[in-house]
Amino acid sequence: MIIKKKELIENAIFSIKIDDLGYVLSQLRDDSRMDIFDNLKDKDEWQGEDLNNTNILFTIVVAEHKLLKLFSNNVTSVVKANKRPRLLLGLSLSEEIRESTSMPGLRLIKYDKVYDPNNVEVIIPILNPIMHKDIIYSYEYIGMQGNYKEIKDRILKYYKEGIDWDKQKAILYPDLELPSKGYKKILYKVGKS
């Protein structure tokens, strides 16, 4: 089935074929976010699936129109959409340059439902790969992703090796080892603003 641009609307749900392993589901959310679910199946059959009860593998910011080749089928009509609120914590480029790389690092931020880079609460201004490795492992970089092959590769790495890792982080933190197989993401406790 060929997915058309007009199908790329909020809460649309698509299956993604992951090489010979099978299929997972993805859902477009508000503000250019897309959830990828941890629900690998051999067959592209999803009747009655409820995404509210399915673990989210990761949520990324996407350029939807560049991802048409990522999707196998539109299954919106047979799957119950995820309505859980999005986590409004993420990683963005820091204003400081890391000495070890001569590049910016990442910072942990809290943002509103519609992301505005000029209106964020900076929680940690620059993440250190030793002190903050759990935060780097656990939260997503808010940069736009439009390369469908990289998204598929990330999902494939998770199912083949048990490691969920965004290659964009490796560019900024080449000194940070990959998370261990089966690593469980942490939730950072944010105090009252």
Side-chain angles (χ1 to χ4, degrees):
M1 173 184 277
I2 296 174
I3 307 297
K4 296 181 173 60
K5 284 185 183 180
K6 67 181 181 180
E7 297 176 69
L8 303 177
I9 59 173
E10 185 177 327
N11 289 323
I13 302 166
F14 302 95
S15 62
I16 300 171
K17 184 169 185 356
I18 306 302
D19 287 356
D20 296 329
L21 295 179
Y23 299 84
V24 296
L25 292 180
S26 64
Q27 178 182 328
L28 297 178
R29 301 290 301 266
D30 56 342
D31 200 26
S32 298
R33 299 301 194 272
M34 182 173 72
D35 293 335
I36 304 289
F37 294 90
D38 185 4
N39 59 349
L40 184 68
K41 284 189 177 183
D42 293 338
K43 295 183 180 177
D44 197 10
E45 297 172 0
W46 302 99
Q47 186 71 37
E49 186 87 7
D50 183 351
L51 294 180
N52 293 290
N53 301 319
T54 305
N55 288 335
I56 297 172
L57 183 56
F58 57 87
T59 300
I60 54 174
V61 180
V62 293
E64 296 101 333
H65 63 283
K66 292 185 176 182
L67 299 180
L68 292 173
K69 292 180 182 177
L70 176 66
F71 305 126
S72 295
N73 283 303
N74 184 333
V75 295
T76 307
S77 64
V78 298
V79 174
K80 188 172 181 182
N82 177 34
K83 299 290 186 191
R84 292 171 284 187
R86 284 193 294 111
L87 182 64
L88 299 177
L89 289 176
L91 307 177
S92 69
L93 291 177
S94 68
E95 295 177 0
E96 299 177 46
I97 301 295
R98 293 185 64 223
E99 281 186 36
S100 61
T101 62
S102 300
M103 294 188 300
L106 293 171
R107 62 187 182 167
L108 180 65
I109 61 168
K110 183 177 180 183
Y111 52 93
D112 291 328
K113 190 171 180 183
V114 175
Y115 175 67
D116 174 358
N118 299 313
N119 185 26
V120 298
E121 177 186 345
V122 177
I123 298 169
I124 302 175
I126 188 162
L127 298 172
N128 176 293
I130 296 169
M131 288 184 356
H132 303 117
K133 76 177 181 179
D134 285 324
I135 293 172
I136 298 170
Y137 291 161
S138 298
Y139 291 92
E140 295 296 329
Y141 173 57
I142 297 178
M144 181 81 57
Q145 177 61 266
N147 186 325
Y148 76 94
K149 288 182 181 175
E150 287 184 8
I151 296 170
K152 274 192 173 186
D153 287 347
R154 180 173 174 182
I155 299 167
L156 183 64
K157 185 173 188 70
Y158 173 74
Y159 283 110
K160 281 198 163 182
E161 301 175 26
I163 297 172
D164 176 24
W165 182 241
D166 177 1
K167 288 183 181 177
Q168 295 179 89
K169 295 178 191 175
I171 294 168
L172 299 172
Y173 289 90
D175 46 344
L176 183 64
E177 63 204 23
L178 290 178
S180 60
K181 182 177 180 176
Y183 177 83
K184 300 290 182 205
K185 295 179 180 180
I186 59 111
L187 286 178
Y188 185 80
K189 301 290 184 205
V190 179
K192 292 184 179 180
S193 306

